[in-house]
Amino acid sequence: MYRNLQIRIIVSIVILVFAAVFFSLNINFKHTETLFEKETSDLLISNLEQVGNQVENVTLDMMKLSNVLSLDDTITSNLSAFSRSPDFKAFSRMKLPQELTTEDYSRMSKIENRLNYTKNNNFFNYNAHMIIVSSDGIVSNVMGNIVSDIDMNQEYLNFKQEFGSWLKDDEWFNSLIRHERDSVWTVPFLYHSSNLNDDKQYVSLAKSIKNSFTGEMLGVVMINLDLDNFVSLFTVRSKGSILLLDSQDRIIKTSGEVEINDINNVKKDLKLYGTQKGYFIGASEGKRYMVTYHILNRLNWTVVSVIPYEDVMKNTSSLKNQVLTINYIVFGLFLLSSVSLILYITNPLKLLIKDLRKKKIGDYSLGTKDITYSNDVKSIVRSFDHLFKRVDELVLKVVEEQSREQELKYEALKAQINPHFLFNTLNIIKWTAMMNGAVSASNMIADLGRLLEVSMKKGDEEITLKEELHLVKAYMNIQSARYNDSIELHMDIDPSLEKYQIIKLLLQPVVENCILHGLKNKKTGGRIQIGAQLEAGCLRIDVTDNGEGIEERRIHEIFNDVNEDTGTQHKFSGVGLRNIDDRLQLKYGEPFGLRISASKGEGTTVSVMIPAIIKEEDSSY
């Protein structure tokens, strides 16, 4: 089927157009997705920056409050208002409730009142826990916006004692005691208290309180903010998650629908990008996610948004499906119209090809009378008609030349039949004449026998020029006896040219024509001159007589197939100048053949033009 021109055109157009549309759409969609990714990521990063700024503002408020509390005179004076023994060691133990004195309770109460007062007057609008641990083991706290969320009873005192006891085992607390750090962020922070029914997580800031003059460490102040309130400003996109990471990329808080395992897989690549903010496409278990991030300057924490990629690109996917549907419809309509147009255009060509297959030699028309072609195909049809007519003319010419060649071969064969019989008869007459003493007659018969022997001899058609000249001499010997030696033969041939080959008995008919036509009315003084020369790869042999010449009209008739009045024809050969020219044309082609030049009353020159070829082996007769 693919050999059909129409099918090839249709398939080619479908493939090329579909490929062009497919690659164009994919490139455009890819570019659109990249732009949409960039715009979406810019929007998400902007939201993360806002969240990050709010988180930093909250932490900044916590740091300001901790600084105010660590420098408050009331707090520092009450923290240092206890007697110290020589072996006193700060934070060595926490006092039990039963060990607290009235003075200790007074100090605790003053510190807690000061905590509450400072918080309310510093516009710290967060429901935070504030705890101060003194160096002698007393815990003071404000749990929320009132003095305490726990009643001032034994349970409250037990909470403080339990909190203080496990606090000494925390590394962050010991790092403050050892003066390794002045402040510590702990996220998430848990109380681990059986007396406080609270399993919440907190953002905790702990700061050491020191004497501004001596540098003695008086206590530690803690500000604990509910982590849920801390990240309440996070806006979670549908099917996505938002998370807060500490400086070690540990998750402080996360919220949303993305599984924690996928979050852990995609957040591994955060540190690869080394920028404060940006986005990348992460993958986990065959699912793709758009990950945007923003690193907080002050704390080196990171706010991260993780959203399924398909959720980000759902609008783009919907647009892509709509565009593809429209393009498929347009492509289908284009294909139908293209196929119709192709069939309309190529049907005339199809008919033309069908007619060409039926074309026969001698049929000059492609059937334009029965079939209506389009204008462009009509010109092709006319061209083919002209071409086929020309081809037929050439074929007919070849057929005629082959027929002519067969006729010449037949004539040559016919000319060989009688000479064969005559040759045998002449041999008998020759020996009879010699026996009777008629030497002249015997020589004439011998010359005639030589001519007959060459004419009927099979084998090579070519002989050397030297051998052909011997035959011409034999022929002239016979004619001299007939015309009483009134015709002389002169040969002016360079011996170096005698080795070139020539068709046998080619010059004899030319010489015969000179005698029968050129010299027929010349009683005495007849002369035939034969010369030869090389010209540009050709061997030119000129046969010139001094007879009455030939008119230009007669020369034209000889070479243009006009019925000629040959007069008396040579009874031996039966071939004229035209036959010689045809024979040379058939064998060698152009530019070989005969050339005739003559003037009325001044003689005639017949030039034989043959290829200049040296014969390899000479034969002698």
Side-chain angles (χ1 to χ4, degrees), residues 29 32-33 36 312-321:
F29 283 136
T32 302
E33 287 181 357
F36 192 76
V312 175
M313 293 296 173
K314 63 181 179 181
N315 293 332
T316 305
S317 299
S318 176
L319 176 62
K320 181 178 181 179
N321 292 332

Side-chain angles (χ1 to χ4, degrees), residues 45 49 275-279 293-295:
I45 291 173
E49 286 179 334
T275 55
Q276 184 183 10
K277 59 184 177 181
Y279 85 98
Y293 60 93
H294 173 64
I295 301 175

Side-chain angles (χ1 to χ4, degrees), residues 116 119 152 241 261 264 267 273 279 294 327 430 531 618:
N116 188 62
K119 174 181 176 298
M152 296 291 290
S241 291
N261 183 55
N264 288 329
K267 77 181 183 68
Y273 295 91
Y279 85 98
H294 173 64
N327 275 274
K430 167 188 168 183
D618 292 336

Side-chain angles (χ1 to χ4, degrees), residues 54-236:
Q54 293 170 347
V55 169
E56 287 195 320
N57 289 336
V58 175
T59 58
L60 182 60
D61 289 342
M62 293 174 66
M63 293 173 65
K64 289 179 179 178
L65 182 60
S66 66
N67 289 332
V68 170
L69 293 176
S70 64
L71 299 175
D72 187 90
D73 292 337
T74 301
I75 294 175
T76 55
S77 62
N78 281 283
L79 289 177
S80 61
F82 65 91
S83 58
R84 296 166 178 75
S85 61
D87 58 347
F88 172 76
K89 185 176 180 181
F91 305 102
S92 60
R93 60 184 299 273
M94 297 296 169
K95 288 185 177 182
L96 300 174
Q98 57 271 23
E99 294 177 333
L100 296 176
T101 63
T102 303
E103 182 181 354
D104 292 335
Y105 278 111
S106 175
R107 290 168 55 208
M108 182 191 305
S109 177
K110 291 177 182 179
I111 292 174
E112 289 180 349
N113 287 331
R114 192 62 182 174
L115 288 176
N116 188 62
Y117 174 81
T118 304
K119 174 181 176 298
N120 292 330
N121 285 275
N122 277 276
F123 303 102
F124 190 77
N125 300 319
Y126 308 103
N127 188 16
H129 296 177
M130 294 180 291
I131 302 173
I132 292 181
V133 181
S134 66
S135 60
D136 61 340
I138 298 176
V139 178
S140 305
N141 68 304
V142 173
M143 310 290 283
N145 293 326
I146 59 176
V147 173
S148 176
D149 291 337
I150 304 176
D151 294 335
M152 296 291 290
N153 52 25
Q154 186 63 38
E155 183 180 355
Y156 172 65
L157 297 175
N158 290 336
F159 162 73
K160 292 184 176 184
Q161 187 270 330
E162 183 180 12
F163 174 78
S165 64
W166 61 258
L167 190 64
K168 294 193 304 177
D169 297 329
D170 282 348
E171 176 59 28
W172 64 265
F173 184 74
N174 289 315
S175 66
L176 291 174
I177 294 174
R178 294 193 298 267
H179 303 283
E180 295 174 356
R181 290 183 287 182
D182 289 332
S183 60
V184 177
W185 288 92
T186 305
V187 186
F189 177 81
L190 299 174
Y191 279 108
H192 303 293
S193 173
S194 60
N195 294 294
L196 183 63
N197 186 18
D198 188 0
D199 57 355
K200 294 181 179 180
Q201 295 179 331
Y202 295 85
V203 176
S204 176
L205 172 62
K207 182 177 178 59
S208 58
I209 303 175
K210 297 180 181 180
N211 189 304
S212 58
F213 297 102
T214 64
E216 177 189 2
M217 188 168 181
L218 303 177
V220 174
V221 58
M222 293 183 64
I223 302 175
N224 300 331
L225 183 63
D226 189 343
L227 187 57
D228 290 335
N229 294 331
F230 188 77
V231 295
S232 62
L233 300 173
F234 286 10
T235 301
V236 181

Side-chain angles (χ1 to χ4, degrees), residues 405-592:
E405 184 178 8
Q406 292 298 324
E407 290 177 1
L408 293 176
K409 288 182 179 179
Y410 177 73
E411 290 179 1
L413 180 61
K414 198 167 58 171
Q416 288 178 354
I417 295 175
N418 292 331
H420 183 75
F421 169 75
L422 292 175
F423 177 73
N424 294 329
T425 304
L426 288 173
N427 274 331
I428 296 174
I429 297 173
K430 167 188 168 183
W431 291 108
T432 302
M434 289 183 67
M435 292 172 62
N436 293 317
V439 177
S440 178
S442 176
N443 291 336
M444 291 175 61
I445 294 172
D447 290 332
L448 179 60
R450 178 182 294 273
L451 291 173
L452 292 175
E453 182 182 9
V454 172
S455 67
M456 69 181 185
K457 183 180 180 181
K458 298 181 180 179
D460 291 342
E461 189 180 359
E462 292 87 3
I463 60 176
T464 63
L465 177 60
K466 181 179 180 180
E467 293 167 339
E468 178 71 7
L469 294 176
H470 287 166
L471 295 177
V472 171
K473 288 179 180 179
Y475 173 74
M476 285 302 299
N477 290 336
I478 297 173
Q479 296 297 331
S480 294
R482 176 183 176 185
Y483 290 100
N484 297 319
D485 296 325
S486 63
I487 300 174
E488 296 180 359
L489 175 65
H490 296 274
M491 296 183 183
D492 184 14
I493 305 295
D494 188 336
S496 63
L497 300 180
E498 292 181 348
K499 58 185 177 181
Y500 285 89
Q501 69 180 24
I502 185 173
I503 298 176
K504 63 184 178 181
L505 295 177
L506 184 65
L507 296 181
Q508 181 269 330
V510 178
V511 172
E512 177 186 24
N513 190 75
C514 293
I515 296 172
L516 295 179
H517 297 286
L519 303 174
K520 64 180 179 179
N521 297 321
K522 205 171 186 69
K523 300 301 181 179
T524 59
R527 180 184 177 87
I528 297 176
Q529 178 76 30
I530 300 178
Q533 58 182 333
L534 294 176
E535 289 185 357
C538 297
L539 177 61
R540 175 176 173 175
I541 305 171
D542 296 326
V543 180
T544 304
D545 64 70
N546 60 347
E548 59 188 26
I550 306 175
E551 296 179 356
E552 187 69 27
R553 176 185 59 80
R554 181 61 180 150
I555 296 175
H556 178 75
E557 291 175 353
I558 292 174
F559 290 107
N560 288 277
D561 200 20
V562 178
N563 291 331
E564 52 181 334
D565 181 14
T566 57
T568 305
Q569 295 185 354
H570 190 267
K571 297 179 180 180
F572 169 72
S573 64
V575 290
L577 294 180
R578 174 169 169 75
N579 286 349
I580 298 173
D581 186 64
D582 288 344
R583 188 179 180 190
L584 293 174
Q585 290 284 332
L586 288 172
K587 184 170 183 62
Y588 300 120
E590 291 288 345
F592 305 103

